[in-house]
Amino acid sequence: MRFETAHQHTWRKIKSALACTIAFVSAILVISPLGLVFFYLLIHGAGSVNWDFFTKLPAPVGAVGGGMVNAIVGSLELLALAGLLGIPVGVLGGVYLAEYGSARINSVLRFLADVLNGVPSITWGMVVYGLVVLRFKGFSAYAGSLALALIMIPLILRTTEEVVLLVPNGYREAALALGVSRWKTIVHIVMKTASKGIITGILLALARVGGETAPLLFTAFAYAISPYDDWHRQAWAGALVLVTGVFCVNVIVRILTRGRAASVV
């Protein structure tokens, strides 16, 4: 009897170790492409990231030196404009889905938001190109920010809804029992409780559209296919800065979400 028990215990330890090994190897396989890409960018682009890169305009064609301050400022402007357009709509839409509306209408809106989340960014670009760029006969930061805002809205909407739904109903009932109006309950209690999760969703949306702005702002492809070695250097540096920025935003999101469950429940 003792021998069988010891045998079963040993076999369980072997299976546990095997499962842990498979899980560890799978995790390494998942993160290895990101590590390889970042390592490759670090090798080719780290030497070109300096103070001039962040503070100077691009040098004339064929000249050595210069920077990408115009691309960096343009990235920030596009993200700011996209945030002004997409964040209010996404947050208010998520609050509507969580607090108002009928079950049938909300299910349709959720389905549409999920579908829009899967639409490729090039599709949004073509839609805005046809509706705005061709109509006004010119490219602009407003058209680009509109395309990015359309990408942000469904992501923020669904994230806000899920976070607001996590707020216990007891908070709402206590406020209503004290005579607080419904809209004040939502604004001052529900949204304040879920604020960390809402900010997390906004940062995730900004990180996503920040990655989408690469072909518009850093023009890495045009730099990469140019015959000038200095432009190649700028392209590697721009790609490294972009990947590092998106990575830092995701790290901030992970830090914020660490205590989200405790702050909502």
Side-chain angles (χ1 to χ4, degrees):
M1 187 67 179
R2 292 181 178 178
F3 176 77
E4 292 180 358
T5 303
H7 178 73
Q8 293 177 356
H9 180 68
T10 303
W11 178 238
R12 285 197 298 267
K13 292 178 64 176
I14 293 174
K15 290 192 294 184
S16 177
L18 181 62
C20 291
T21 302
I22 294 175
F24 178 77
V25 172
S26 300
I28 295 297
L29 291 176
V30 170
I31 65 175
S32 57
L34 175 61
L36 291 174
V37 169
F38 187 77
F39 181 72
Y40 195 76
L41 290 176
L42 197 64
I43 293 176
H44 290 81
S48 302
V49 178
N50 49 39
W51 182 250
D52 290 343
F53 180 84
F54 294 101
T55 58
K56 291 186 177 181
L57 294 172
V61 177
V64 179
M68 284 191 173
V69 65
N70 58 332
I72 296 172
V73 174
S75 297
L76 297 178
E77 288 180 354
L78 267 182
L79 289 177
L81 291 173
L84 288 176
L85 295 173
I87 292 174
V89 177
V91 172
L92 293 177
V95 172
Y96 176 83
L97 289 179
E99 300 290 337
Y100 299 98
S102 63
R104 179 175 298 179
I105 295 176
N106 287 359
S107 63
V108 173
L109 292 177
R110 292 188 188 98
F111 174 76
L112 292 177
D114 292 336
V115 171
L116 293 177
N117 271 325
V119 173
S121 59
I122 186 63
T123 304
W124 290 116
M126 293 300 296
V127 169
V128 176
Y129 178 80
L131 295 178
V132 179
V133 175
L134 292 181
R135 182 179 297 271
F136 292 97
K137 296 180 174 59
F139 295 95
S140 67
Y142 300 108
S145 61
L146 177 60
L148 298 181
L150 292 175
I151 299 174
M152 292 176 61
I153 288 174
L155 180 59
I156 296 177
L157 184 144
R158 292 293 284 143
T159 305
T160 300
E161 180 199 4
E162 294 297 332
V163 173
V164 171
L165 288 175
L166 289 176
V167 178
N169 286 327
Y171 290 12
R172 301 175 178 85
E173 295 170 355
L176 294 174
L178 293 173
V180 182
S181 61
R182 188 176 184 184
W183 73 269
K184 287 185 178 180
T185 300
I186 294 173
V187 172
H188 296 290
I189 297 177
V190 176
M191 294 191 66
K192 185 176 181 180
T193 305
S195 60
K196 185 177 290 188
I198 294 173
I199 294 173
T200 299
I202 292 172
L203 290 177
L204 284 173
L206 288 173
R208 177 182 175 183
V209 300
E212 301 293 349
T213 61
L216 297 175
L217 305 172
F218 285 96
T219 60
F221 181 72
Y223 273 53
I225 63 175
S226 68
Y228 308 107
D229 292 336
D230 193 62
W231 279 27
H232 297 168
R233 178 182 61 83
Q234 297 276 7
W236 286 114
L240 177 61
V241 170
L242 181 65
V243 172
T244 304
V246 174
F247 177 78
C248 291
V249 171
N250 281 274
V251 170
I252 294 173
V253 169
R254 295 298 299 175
I255 294 174
L256 291 176
T257 55
R258 185 176 301 172
R260 188 178 68 180
S263 64
V264 172
V265 178

